[in-house]
Amino acid sequence: MIKDLRIRFGIIAVVVLVSVAYLIPTLIVKEDRTLPNWMTNGIAMGDERVKLLPSKTLHLGLDLKGGMHLLLGVDLDEALANSLDRFSTEVGGYMDDEGIAYKKSGREGTELVVVLSSSEDEQALKDYVSERYRMLTVTESRTIEEGGMEIRFVYREKDLAEFNDRTVEQTLETIRNRVDELGLTEPEIIRQGEYDILVQLPGVSDMESAKELIRKVALLEFKLVVDDDEMLSEALKGNIPEGMELVYEKVKDRETGEIMDEVPYLVEEETQMTGEVITDATIAFDSSKAGRPYVHIEFDRRGEALFEKVSGDNVGRRLAIILDNNVYSAPVIKSRITGGAAIIEGSFPLDEAKELAIVLRAGALPATLTLLEERTVGPSLGTDSIRMGFMATLVGGALVVIFMALYYGASGLVADLALFLNMVIILGIMSAFQATLTLPGIAGIALTIGMAVDANVLVFERVREELRLGKTPRASIEGGYSKAFLTILDANVTTLIAALVLFQFGTGPVKGFAVTLSVGIVTSLFTAIFVSRTVFEFAMSRFRIKRLSV
């Protein structure tokens, strides 16, 4: 340990002052979790504004602040199907451009199936797929009875695992973008387990709207409409032709949002392009239609080229713009469309148009989300939890302080001082690193109170033994700390290992408990060993103490 007491007091002062600086915002934060303007924007000094203190408050968990807890599962099978559908469209485009005759390019289950009219083009197709889609491999290549060459492709096992992992990460990022659009503070959106996503939104008041916004797939698809009344009539009876599907346009009342009618469309199953090529989505108003809102979308270069090709190849046909299986509009393609932009019209009200623009701008989910678990915590319950947890910690701490003072005398007061500093440093560190304080986290702090004085109890008992041997107070203090150090270190390290395991494998409240316990163990070692010993040695060097009160 450092011999110079001035340096030791300097270290203690720095640690405590930094902790207090990070704790001040939490102490003065208002009920609506906002801080005074001078703290968030700084104080004007000349032409600049200078921040004197940190502006981060202690991050409260859902169980203390109230809000919404969702556990969402990602439908990876659907994501794989969407990916293969896109590949089939692109492979079909390649064969059209190269003049390769083919009978089919589509998906069957988890396979991409291409049927060539002639086996002469087999190698050219395999070379193209091998070069452009390295994740695909050929599972079967055979001559079929109807004539032609059928080639089947699937994802390689390793690439499929990477695809699933990437899909979950993309979903996580998309949800995060959408939550950011909600303007919430302190949301927690993390991956849980292998493919699930945990979403905690403290302080959410309109839970249904938030849930709808998060789960909205926003899968935007452009599909060609089959304008054949007879085929549509048969499809409505259940006789849907192969390669086609029925989708509906929901006509809503603009004032109430109530669905007034559903218009059926028979469309080709093959998706011409999806919303993943969208770069921006904004609200605009059509002055010729009583100011009806619509969504203006813009594509990236790839989307612009794809949209131009789709529109150029299908002049005279209708192209349905479908979002989450709902048709928003189905305009007739009058000419090749260039410029990389399109609009989504519908009978939706302004709020729905804004929500639609948000989800398109934030990005579409790559797959449907399944709600696995849902919990809501009311703000009043969170307030009660804070009050009761604070009271429990206060009463427990007060009893420990009184016991230490009565049983160990003046030495007990030194332990109480270390305990107080321990609390300040714990909360300061949690504020600085934006760790989440949960209800079990408060329990972890209460447990830390006991552990913090436990180290001092071990030291004091060793000091008593040294005094009984007739040693001086200074020698007893040195002997007590030296002999108790390894025992204290062993006990705290083993507990810290358990806390780290809880943090690694635990979730939600368990993780909150592990965080406060881990931080508390480190800080209690600092205060019980370093701070209290420094105080004792300062007293020994400054005053001629002949009798030690312990």
Side-chain angles (χ1 to χ4, degrees):
M1 185 172 287
I2 302 169
K3 296 294 182 183
D4 193 328
L5 287 177
R6 288 174 297 182
I7 297 177
R8 286 158 65 176
F9 271 114
I11 294 173
I12 294 169
V14 169
V15 172
V16 173
L17 289 176
V18 170
S19 300
V20 170
Y22 275 101
L23 200 51
I24 287 176
T26 302
L27 297 176
I28 65 174
V29 69
K30 301 174 185 174
E31 287 189 4
D32 58 357
R33 304 292 296 170
T34 59
L35 291 167
N37 185 53
W38 65 267
M39 181 164 280
T40 52
N41 298 323
I43 297 174
M45 291 186 177
D47 296 333
E48 298 182 353
R49 300 189 73 85
V50 179
K51 286 188 176 182
L52 301 177
L53 290 171
S55 57
K56 295 177 179 177
T57 59
L58 190 60
H59 190 166
L60 297 181
L62 195 70
D63 50 358
L64 296 180
K65 193 174 181 181
M68 186 168 65
H69 164 108
L70 299 173
L71 183 61
L72 303 166
V74 183
D75 189 342
L76 295 172
D77 291 338
E78 184 185 85
L80 179 63
N82 292 337
S83 173
L84 292 175
D85 279 342
R86 189 175 68 254
F87 290 166
S88 71
T89 301
E90 294 174 355
V91 169
Y94 157 75
M95 291 188 292
D96 288 338
D97 293 341
E98 296 297 319
I100 297 175
Y102 65 98
K103 298 179 179 177
K104 176 181 179 181
S105 174
R107 171 180 57 85
E108 290 185 10
T110 58
E111 295 180 319
L112 170 63
V113 181
V114 180
V115 179
L116 298 172
S117 300
S118 168
S119 59
E120 293 178 357
D121 300 314
E122 177 186 0
Q123 194 55 49
L125 176 66
K126 287 181 177 177
D127 290 343
Y128 169 76
V129 173
S130 173
E131 181 181 349
R132 185 171 177 80
Y133 309 105
R134 296 181 185 277
M135 71 292 288
L136 297 182
T137 184
V138 178
T139 56
E140 187 177 7
S141 181
R142 66 185 181 94
T143 303
I144 57 177
E145 293 181 357
E146 297 82 5
M149 174 67 67
E150 181 183 86
I151 307 171
R152 291 176 176 268
F153 302 90
V154 296
Y155 264 85
R156 299 175 197 274
E157 189 173 342
K158 179 184 174 186
D159 292 306
L160 182 58
E162 289 181 1
F163 171 81
N164 289 338
D165 187 68
R166 194 168 60 249
T167 300
V168 175
E169 286 299 321
Q170 184 183 342
T171 304
L172 195 70
E173 190 59 31
T174 304
I175 293 175
R176 192 168 286 134
N177 290 339
R178 293 183 183 183
V179 170
D180 287 345
E181 295 278 356
L182 283 174
L184 296 177
T185 57
E186 303 173 350
E188 184 170 9
I189 304 160
I190 57 173
R191 193 165 175 168
Q192 181 161 308
E194 197 169 7
Y195 298 128
D196 296 338
I197 294 174
L198 175 68
V199 180
Q200 291 191 335
L201 306 177
V204 168
S205 55
D206 190 348
M207 299 189 183
E208 285 303 318
S209 295
K211 192 164 60 176
E212 178 67 21
L213 183 62
I214 290 171
R215 294 185 61 197
K216 200 176 186 70
V217 177
L219 177 60
L220 183 65
E221 300 170 291
F222 294 80
K223 294 187 177 183
L224 291 168
V225 178
V226 180
D227 279 316
D228 188 314
D229 292 340
E230 190 175 336
M231 291 177 70
L232 177 61
S233 178
E234 286 297 316
L236 289 171
K237 295 176 184 176
N239 302 319
I240 302 174
E242 186 179 353
M244 299 181 190
E245 63 181 351
L246 266 178
V247 288
Y248 293 86
E249 177 185 359
K250 294 176 181 174
V251 180
K252 297 181 180 178
D253 185 292
R254 290 187 59 198
E255 298 297 327
T256 64
E258 183 183 352
I259 298 174
M260 307 297 291
D261 192 15
E262 290 190 344
V263 180
Y265 290 87
L266 184 64
V267 299
E268 293 182 0
E269 216 170 45
E270 181 183 1
T271 301
Q272 299 298 318
M273 57 186 290
T274 65
E276 66 178 2
V277 293
I278 290 176
T279 57
D280 195 14
T282 54
I283 297 286
F285 297 90
D286 189 342
S287 57
S288 65
K289 296 180 180 177
R292 177 180 294 182
Y294 64 88
V295 179
H296 176 86
I297 54 179
E298 296 180 5
F299 303 116
D300 58 17
R301 286 189 176 181
R302 178 166 152 255
E304 180 180 349
L306 200 55
F307 195 55
E308 184 176 343
K309 182 179 185 309
V310 170
S311 59
D313 292 347
N314 297 282
V315 173
R317 297 190 63 180
R318 288 202 291 167
L319 185 66
I321 301 175
I322 305 168
L323 182 73
D324 292 348
N325 285 324
N326 295 321
V327 177
Y328 275 79
S329 57
V332 176
I333 302 173
K334 296 179 180 177
S335 61
R336 180 184 296 272
I337 301 173
T338 60
I343 62 172
I344 302 176
E345 294 180 303
S347 56
F348 39 72
L350 179 59
D351 288 345
E352 188 175 333
K354 287 180 178 176
E355 186 178 294
L356 177 59
I358 286 175
V359 294
L360 290 175
R361 196 164 53 240
L365 291 174
T368 304
L369 292 174
T370 306
L371 186 59
L372 303 177
E373 183 183 329
E374 176 186 1
R375 281 190 281 122
T376 56
V377 181
S380 58
L381 180 59
T383 305
D384 288 344
S385 299
I386 293 175
R387 185 171 55 80
M388 297 300 290
F390 179 74
M391 282 299 297
T393 305
L394 191 66
V395 171
L399 290 175
V400 169
V401 166
I402 293 171
F403 171 79
M404 293 297 290
L406 291 178
Y407 195 73
Y408 291 107
S411 298
L413 294 177
V414 175
D416 291 340
L417 172 66
L419 181 63
F420 174 73
L421 295 181
N422 187 32
M423 293 296 102
V424 172
I425 297 171
I426 288 177
L427 296 176
I429 289 177
M430 293 188 68
S431 294
F433 290 97
Q434 291 285 278
T436 302
L437 180 64
T438 62
L439 191 57
I442 294 178
I445 292 176
L447 178 61
T448 303
I449 292 174
M451 295 185 64
V453 293
D454 183 58
N456 287 114
V457 168
L458 286 172
V459 171
F460 294 162
E461 292 302 322
R462 287 287 187 182
V463 171
R464 281 181 171 179
E465 291 176 3
E466 298 295 313
L467 289 172
R468 289 192 198 103
L469 293 174
K471 294 185 178 180
T472 62
R474 179 185 289 274
S476 298
I477 290 293
E478 290 180 358
Y481 275 99
S482 299
K483 292 178 179 178
F485 178 73
L486 286 180
T487 305
I488 295 170
L489 187 65
D490 288 349
N492 281 276
V493 167
T494 50
T495 309
L496 181 61
I497 291 172
L500 293 177
V501 171
L502 280 178
F503 180 80
Q504 179 65 32
F505 298 104
T507 58
V510 176
K511 186 168 281 190
F513 175 77
V515 168
T516 52
L517 186 59
S518 302
V519 174
I521 289 170
V522 175
T523 56
S524 66
L525 276 175
F526 174 74
T527 54
I529 302 296
F530 190 82
V531 175
S532 63
R533 184 169 182 173
T534 301
V535 173
F536 275 119
E537 292 188 1
F538 171 76
M540 293 295 166
S541 63
R542 193 68 182 270
F543 309 104
R544 292 183 177 179
I545 298 176
K546 296 181 179 179
R547 181 177 175 276
L548 188 63
S549 174
V550 64

